[in-house]
Amino acid sequence: MADYTSLEKIRLEKIEELRAEGIEPYPTRAERTHTSAQAISGFEAAVEGAEVRATLAGRIRATRPMGKLTFAHIEDGAGRIQLFLRVNELGQEQVDFFNRAFDIGDFIQAAGVMMRTRTGEATLLVHEFRMLAKAVSPLPAAKDETLEDGTVVRHAALEDSELRARQRYADLAVNPQTRETFRKRAAVLRSLRAFLDGEGFLEVETPILQPIYGGAAAKPFTTFHNQLKQQLYLRISFELYLKRLLVGNLERVYEIGRDFRNEGVSYKHNPEFTQLEFYWAYADYLQVMDLTERMVSFAAKEVTGSYKVVYQGTEIDFTPPWKRIEMRAGLLEATGVDIYAHADGDSLAAALKAAGKNPPADAPRGKLIDWMLSEFLEPKLVQPTFLYDYPRDISPLAKSRPGDPLTVERFEGYVAGFELCNAFTELNDPLDQESRFIEMGRDYAADDEERHPMDEDYLRAMRYGMPPNGGFGMGVDRLTMLLTDKHSIREVLLFPHLRSGASEEE
RNA sequence: GGGCGCGUAGCUCAACGGCAGAGCAGUGGCCUUUUAAGCCAUUGGUUCUGGGUUCGAAUCCCAGCGCGCUCACCA
């Protein structure tokens, strides 16, 4: 049972008193004729002297009792509005009743006539009011101060990011900017769907519970179907199922949904995250690049109203075309070392040392290139930039460039120094794919969890013939971070994963 | 997983080895145009948890839990 605080005990007593007076603190129905915004705009538009009646419903956010009158602000889905309760209309008993029984956080229904107070605020002069839902626990209510210049300063706002995430309901209830963040998140999803639908892509849904996981290098979550006695995995990507659909003659498909990766958490990683993947028959990675910059800039415009957004104090310009840097040239410029001149790790490491760098010891070539990227190139990619043509060492799933087997047709989009998306010209040779499965199985044999299992059904699909195609994946949470100016993924997830939440540990 | 930092009233924070405090919220009172309303009075604490040092610990030490930053791992 809940352990009530002294504040809660007082409110529980108020509930008992209401019931004792025959008043239901949680009535079944509410009435409302106007939202706060409708009441105010209706009043502003009305001709002088015309009476604007309204019944409002909302949550009490502030009260200012003054003896024979009380001012209050309520908040509903459309904004805030002031209530004016006065002895003249209600009688002393009702004004006292309001002050005695109603608290900040309670839901109230109030009917009356719109009026203007001495300070000019459009206000509902209340003739009738009733309780819609009594709050037992006090909301961490902030107070807003409006300065001379109109800026609003919040005092004692609920700020602790952990508490806000654990009790998102309270965060949403008291912090309008949190509600705004999640409206923008919805707008991001809406804009991506609208864009891809407009390009002729079909939205599909593929299994989250999969007997064989694949499509990315990540550790899966495992689960178990009791009746079928079957080991299942939560998907780590959509790739292998979406590409099966290309075999089925669906030429353009996309899915927006949840991926699950059993890895560490950080400000840009959550164990479950929202991914967008699309696959496009007869397109290659350069066409995907064009589409990507159009899609992301479209989303930026739809969500923020502009191609230019400010992220953590820096202006990011999503206007196409984005900067394109070939990886080899980019690394050569950043480090003075040409990765193509060095076919193995030892040679590349020696060249890096000669260039005054301090590479990790005993690393293979692919690992060194990764290190060069993250150390010298990625941090510089603040404005939207495509890095393209990756060494095959670090891209086992992409198709090689014709006549250049060591380079694959792959690009990653970088913004604000972190990876936003990843795409390549996809493998469609079933025999090549099979040998890569075997190769990856061998590479990871020591580590059961990261080993790529052979997906026989996927190979069977590919053997029926898969058109050449370009594939794309993007972290929707990361795009949302960029468009809402949030540093942490937790700020754009309603209920991010946190340790020791509801469940007891063993 | 490593390093650094933080955890005090419902919320925001002070006190930094010597009686655990303030503002807001709450409670009681005054107040018929307030808006962080004001004035008077007042309630409220496992100082994250568990050990230790000390005459004395919110404060110092150790361990744990949680969060943040960072590195590593990881796309």
Side-chain angles (χ1 to χ4, degrees):
Chain A
M1 273 284 98
D3 220 359
Y4 291 113
T5 65
S6 59
L7 296 168
E8 288 167 333
K9 285 175 185 157
I10 289 165
R11 289 173 176 222
L12 288 169
E13 284 167 19
K14 291 181 180 180
I15 289 171
E16 289 309 306
E17 286 166 22
L18 285 170
R19 291 220 161 97
E21 295 170 39
I23 295 165
E24 172 53 49
Y26 302 98
T28 304
R29 284 175 230 295
E31 287 165 34
R32 140 159 114 165
T33 62
H34 295 66
T35 65
S36 57
Q38 287 166 344
I40 291 167
S41 62
F43 177 64
E44 302 289 354
V47 291
E48 190 70 28
E51 191 179 72
V52 176
R53 301 198 139 264
T55 303
L56 305 172
R59 184 167 220 150
I60 300 173
R61 292 302 310 278
T63 60
R64 292 178 291 282
M66 307 180 58
K68 291 189 165 51
L69 20 119
T70 289
F71 290 94
H73 269 97
I74 64 168
E75 188 168 58
D76 63 15
R80 284 181 163 228
I81 189 169
Q82 182 169 250
L83 303 183
F84 185 17
L85 298 93
R86 195 166 60 166
V87 168
N88 308 39
E89 286 74 29
L90 294 165
Q92 188 67 52
E93 196 186 323
Q94 280 290 292
V95 173
D96 289 344
F97 170 65
F98 177 86
N99 290 329
R100 170 166 49 90
F102 286 67
D103 289 295
I104 292 170
D106 295 350
F107 285 93
I108 187 176
Q109 174 183 318
V113 180
M114 291 300 295
M115 59 162 285
R116 199 175 295 286
T117 61
R118 202 166 280 174
T119 53
E121 181 167 349
T123 297
L124 186 77
L125 181 62
V126 176
H127 289 216
E128 273 182 274
F129 65 91
R130 59 190 273 254
M131 184 72 78
L132 288 183
K134 182 76 189 158
V136 173
S137 302
L139 279 174
K143 285 204 165 187
D144 291 336
E145 178 182 16
T146 308
L147 302 178
E148 289 290 325
D149 61 7
T151 54
V152 176
V153 180
R154 293 176 76 75
H155 300 271
L158 179 64
E159 282 173 345
D160 182 81
S161 65
E162 178 185 354
L163 196 55
R164 290 197 299 109
R166 286 190 192 280
Q167 298 190 29
R168 187 66 82 197
Y169 33 88
D171 180 29
L172 288 162
V174 302
N175 288 323
Q177 70 276 22
T178 302
R179 294 197 291 266
E180 185 55 27
T181 297
F182 290 100
R183 286 197 190 95
K184 282 188 175 173
R185 186 185 169 104
V188 170
L189 292 166
R190 214 182 306 126
S191 68
L192 294 173
R193 287 197 166 96
F195 181 86
L196 289 168
D197 291 345
E199 294 286 328
F201 282 81
L202 181 72
E203 179 168 14
V204 298
E205 293 174 284
T206 62
I208 291 173
L209 292 175
Q210 302 180 347
I212 299 173
Y213 60 93
K219 295 176 188 169
F221 287 92
T222 60
T223 187
F224 190 75
H225 191 296
N226 290 338
Q227 203 187 345
L228 301 179
K229 295 188 169 44
Q230 186 181 17
Q231 173 88 58
L232 292 168
Y233 302 92
L234 274 60
R235 65 181 174 192
I236 57 173
S237 86
F238 320 154
E239 173 156 352
L240 299 186
Y241 280 93
L242 292 180
K243 282 162 78 178
R244 280 172 169 90
L245 300 178
L246 298 184
V247 171
N249 284 17
L250 295 176
E251 293 185 353
R252 300 179 186 197
V253 293
Y254 75 95
E255 178 164 7
I256 295 176
R258 216 64 69 79
D259 266 345
F260 305 84
R261 296 188 182 174
N262 208 337
E263 289 164 356
V265 298
S266 77
Y267 72 97
K268 53 184 179 181
H269 295 88
N270 195 62
E272 55 179 298
F273 62 100
T274 299
Q275 176 97 327
L276 162 66
E277 288 190 26
F278 69 71
Y279 292 84
W280 183 8
Y282 313 119
D284 67 6
Y285 75 136
L286 293 173
Q287 287 165 280
V288 172
M289 223 183 272
D290 293 339
L291 191 78
T292 299
E293 63 192 11
R294 285 200 291 126
M295 176 173 72
V296 173
S297 59
F298 176 80
K301 186 78 176 278
E302 289 291 304
V303 174
T304 70
S306 169
Y307 288 139
K308 295 178 183 174
V309 308
V310 173
Y311 184 70
Q312 307 293 297
T314 303
E315 187 179 80
I316 307 279
D317 186 356
F318 286 104
T319 310
W322 296 359
K323 199 169 173 190
R324 300 185 179 192
I325 299 177
E326 189 204 349
M327 179 184 289
R328 176 192 188 177
L331 287 178
L332 180 61
E333 190 191 329
T335 65
V337 174
D338 182 0
I339 54 174
Y340 279 50
H342 306 280
D344 59 75
D346 291 342
S347 163
L348 183 56
L352 284 165
K353 279 177 193 156
K357 312 298 184 195
N358 187 23
D362 299 325
R365 182 169 180 269
K367 192 130 196 151
L368 283 172
I369 293 172
D370 250 347
W371 174 81
M372 290 166 73
L373 280 176
S374 58
E375 197 76 8
F376 302 107
L377 201 49
E378 289 174 10
K380 291 187 192 169
L381 306 181
V382 173
Q383 294 303 320
T385 304
F386 292 120
L387 204 56
Y388 66 97
D389 284 356
Y390 279 58
R392 191 180 151 152
D393 311 41
I394 57 174
S395 312
L397 293 166
K399 212 168 182 175
S400 296
R401 285 173 59 84
D404 182 3
L406 292 180
T407 306
V408 297
E409 297 197 346
R410 174 187 183 186
F411 74 82
E412 292 190 330
Y414 282 87
V415 181
F418 66 75
E419 177 198 338
L420 178 65
C421 57
N422 184 15
F424 24 85
T425 305
E426 301 286 340
L427 276 185
N428 65 338
D429 174 344
L431 305 180
D432 187 6
Q433 178 71 65
E434 181 169 12
S435 66
R436 295 213 199 187
F437 271 133
I438 292 167
E439 200 178 308
M440 285 187 290
R442 193 171 51 235
D443 285 355
Y444 286 93
D447 184 342
D448 256 358
E449 283 181 309
E450 271 198 54
R451 197 167 57 100
H452 265 244
M454 173 79 74
D455 192 334
E456 293 287 359
D457 180 70
Y458 178 65
L459 288 173
R460 174 168 59 197
M462 199 178 268
R463 282 195 291 264
Y464 279 118
M466 179 184 290
N469 68 92
F472 172 89
M474 177 171 73
V476 173
D477 309 292
R478 290 190 184 174
L479 178 60
T480 306
M481 287 162 65
L482 288 169
L483 298 183
T484 57
D485 194 17
K486 298 298 181 198
H487 173 63
S488 169
I489 195 170
R490 289 184 169 174
E491 294 288 334
V492 299
L493 296 171
L494 279 168
F495 299 102
H497 179 74
L498 297 164
R499 283 176 217 237
S500 315
S503 63
E504 299 293 313
E505 57 251 66
E506 305 163 14

